Amino acid sequence: MTPRETTISTHLLLHYLLPFTLCLLQPPHHQPVHVPTLVPHAPTPLTRSRFSAEAQLDFTTRCNSSCFHRAEQEEQMTDKLAFETLYADGFRTLTTVEVEEDDGDDDALHPTHAPAWRRRRRLRRRMKRQIYGADGRFNIQGDDFLMDYPFSTAVRISTGCTGVLVSQQHVLTAAHCVHDGKDYVHGARKLRVGFLIPPSVNGTKAGLIPNKKPLVRWVRVKRTRVPKGWIQGPQEVSMDFDYALLELRWPHRRPFMRLSVAPSSDDLAGNRIHFSGFDSDRPGELVYRFCPVEEESSDLIYQHCDARPGASGSGVYGRVWDVGLERWERKVIGIFSGHQWLEIDGENRDYNVAVRITPLKFAQICYWVHGNRLDCRQD
C-alpha cells in the first residue's frame, strides 16, 4: 500500500467508520467532574531570561514506585500551579495562585476519580526507541487531509516540537520544548509557531509535483506561560507538569480543538488516544497515530503510540462524551511529553508518556487562555 493509499484509509477510518461505531456506544455513567477555581495573585517581576538552555527534543525520565505513587499535599499543588510568564522582550513575571473550592469541597486537590495504576496487557518488547513493533504512523498528505480537522489543529514550534491549537490565539505544547527546568532555551527568545500550507494553496498544483512538501507560515509568539511545577523540579516529578501555553501575536483563522479534563481510559471511545506531530525522522511531514491506553496514573497517560523526537508537545486527544451536546467529541485530554522507564515491582517497564489534563491543570490552562475565572469550567 502506498503512503497516499494508507493516508486515505486512515482518513476513511476516522471520518466514516468511527462515527457509525460511536452511535452504538452508550455514554459513560460517571459523576460530572468538578473543576476548581484558580485565583491568581498580582504578578511579581523577575529578572530577564538569559535563554541559556539547549532544546531537548527527546525527553526521557525514570520513575520508581515511590515517585509513581507519591501523594501531593495541598500546599505543594498550589505552589506547583503558580506560573511564570515570558514576554517577547525577555521580561518575566511569576504569578502565585490559590485554589478556591465550593462548600469546602477538596476533591479537585485529591480527586477520587483519578485512575489507580493498572496493567492492561503484557509489555511488548522494545524494538526501536519509541517505536514499538511495526511502525504504525501515517503521513498526512494532500490539501483535503492537511487542512481537514483535526489534522489542521497541529502546528510546528520553532524549537523543533509540535503544538496544538486550543483557541483562536493559543497553542498548547510541552514545557521542555521552551524551558529545560532552569532556564528558557535559545530558540524561545524569538519563538514562532508554524502553520502548514499545502502547496496548491500557494499557487502550485501539487498533483504535478510528486512528494511536494507543504510550506510553513510562521507567526511570532507574544507570551509564553510555564507552570512552576516544571521549573527547577526533579525530572521524575516535573514531567507531571510538562506543558506550556503560547499566545500568538494575532489570531489565526483555523479550527481549534477544545480542552477537556482527561477521563479514565474506560470512558474514552474505544479506549484510544490519537495525536499528530512533526516527528524528526519524517521532516516536513505531519504524522498521525493512534493506540490504546496501556496504563494511567493521576497525572500521566502511559501508551505505546509510535513516536519520535519532534512529536513532543502534540495534543493528545480522544473521543469523550460531551454532556451539553449529547454526543462523542474529539477533545484534547493531554500533551505528549516523551519517554519514561518505570521500575515497578522489580521490573523495568518502557512507555511513551502524555501528561493528562487534571481538573487543576484544566483550571490553570483555561485561565491562561481566557484571562478570567468565569469562563473556566468543564463543558
Side-chain angles (χ1 to χ4, degrees):
M1 182 177 290
T2 66
R4 175 67 175 175
E5 291 170 335
T6 301
T7 302
I8 293 175
S9 298
T10 307
H11 185 273
L12 291 174
L13 174 66
L14 285 170
H15 294 276
Y16 296 99
L17 299 182
L18 275 179
F20 288 111
T21 304
L22 292 176
C23 289
L24 303 176
L25 295 177
Q26 296 297 317
H29 297 286
H30 57 73
Q31 294 295 322
V33 176
H34 171 68
V35 175
T37 300
L38 212 65
V39 183
H41 298 158
T44 302
L46 301 174
T47 59
R48 292 179 182 272
S49 173
R50 293 177 290 118
F51 299 102
S52 61
E54 297 289 341
Q56 182 181 1
L57 302 184
D58 192 8
F59 185 55
T60 301
T61 60
R62 288 186 174 272
C63 180
N64 55 30
S65 57
S66 61
C67 88
F68 182 84
H69 295 292
R70 65 182 174 272
E72 299 285 5
Q73 300 299 319
E74 179 175 341
E75 295 80 8
Q76 293 176 327
M77 284 303 298
T78 53
D79 180 63
K80 291 175 180 177
L81 288 169
F83 56 89
E84 204 171 278
T85 302
L86 172 71
Y87 296 86
D89 61 359
F91 180 71
R92 295 183 301 150
T93 61
L94 174 66
T95 304
T96 57
V97 302
E98 292 180 8
V99 177
E100 188 176 89
E101 295 294 337
D102 297 329
D103 300 323
D105 181 13
D106 63 352
D107 286 347
L109 288 171
H110 308 284
T112 56
H113 66 277
W117 171 266
R118 49 186 169 170
R119 193 168 194 184
R120 294 184 173 276
R121 52 187 65 80
R122 290 185 61 83
L123 182 65
R124 289 168 285 179
R125 183 180 177 185
R126 177 175 165 180
M127 303 299 292
K128 184 180 178 183
R129 184 171 186 77
Q130 296 183 302
I131 302 294
Y132 298 87
D135 194 337
R137 297 173 297 166
F138 305 95
N139 285 8
I140 304 301
Q141 300 174 335
D143 296 11
D144 294 338
F145 302 103
L146 282 174
M147 302 304 291
D148 198 6
Y149 182 88
F151 307 125
S152 60
T153 65
V155 292
R156 291 180 61 179
I157 308 300
S158 57
T159 54
C161 290
T162 301
V164 60
L165 302 174
V166 293
S167 85
Q168 284 294 337
Q169 206 166 347
H170 294 89
V171 175
L172 190 63
T173 188
H176 76 260
C177 295
V178 297
H179 195 290
D180 74 343
K182 295 183 179 179
D183 194 15
Y184 291 91
V185 303
H186 295 304
R189 186 188 296 272
K190 295 182 179 179
L191 194 61
R192 299 179 298 163
V193 169
F195 293 77
L196 285 189
I197 302 175
S200 63
V201 175
N202 288 273
T204 303
K205 293 185 178 180
L208 302 178
I209 307 176
N211 300 320
K212 181 71 174 179
K213 302 290 186 183
L215 301 177
V216 181
R217 177 175 64 89
W218 293 99
V219 177
R220 289 288 300 273
V221 171
K222 179 173 70 173
R223 182 163 54 184
T224 301
R225 279 175 164 157
V226 180
K228 192 178 177 184
W230 169 259
I231 298 171
Q232 295 182 333
Q235 285 193 335
E236 67 272 12
V237 175
S238 60
M239 192 178 207
D240 296 348
F241 296 88
D242 188 13
Y243 56 92
L245 190 77
L246 316 180
E247 182 178 345
L248 304 175
R249 282 196 170 182
W250 53 78
H252 61 82
R253 296 182 180 180
R254 297 195 180 185
F256 58 86
M257 198 173 297
R258 295 162 64 201
L259 296 171
S260 172
V261 172
S264 166
S265 61
D266 292 335
D267 292 332
L268 287 175
N271 182 246
R272 284 186 170 86
I273 58 171
H274 313 246
F275 60 96
S276 299
F278 297 93
D279 300 45
S280 58
D281 63 335
R282 299 189 185 183
E285 299 285 352
L286 179 62
V287 184
Y288 162 77
R289 75 232 70 198
F290 65 92
C291 67
V293 175
E294 298 280 347
E295 320 283 1
E296 52 190 338
S297 71
S298 57
D299 283 287
L300 299 175
I301 300 171
Y302 294 86
Q303 32 77 23
H304 289 149
C305 282
D306 295 324
R308 298 292 290 155
S312 292
S314 299
V316 174
Y317 64 90
R319 299 259 189 173
V320 300
W321 182 256
D322 189 300
V323 177
L325 298 176
E326 296 187 344
R327 67 188 184 198
W328 296 90
E329 286 283 303
R330 296 185 188 93
K331 293 184 180 180
V332 176
I333 61 170
I335 306 93
F336 181 65
S337 177
H339 194 74
Q340 186 172 92
W341 284 97
L342 275 178
E343 299 173 13
I344 304 293
D345 299 328
E347 180 183 358
N348 277 331
R349 304 175 186 177
D350 178 27
Y351 296 98
N352 283 336
V353 180
V355 178
R356 67 185 301 130
I357 298 177
T358 63
L360 281 169
K361 294 171 187 174
F362 179 93
Q364 182 190 54
I365 297 170
C366 184
Y367 175 79
W368 291 348
V369 171
H370 295 287
N372 65 74
R373 297 180 286 161
L374 298 178
D375 293 326
C376 294
R377 61 180 179 82
Q378 172 77 355
D379 293 330

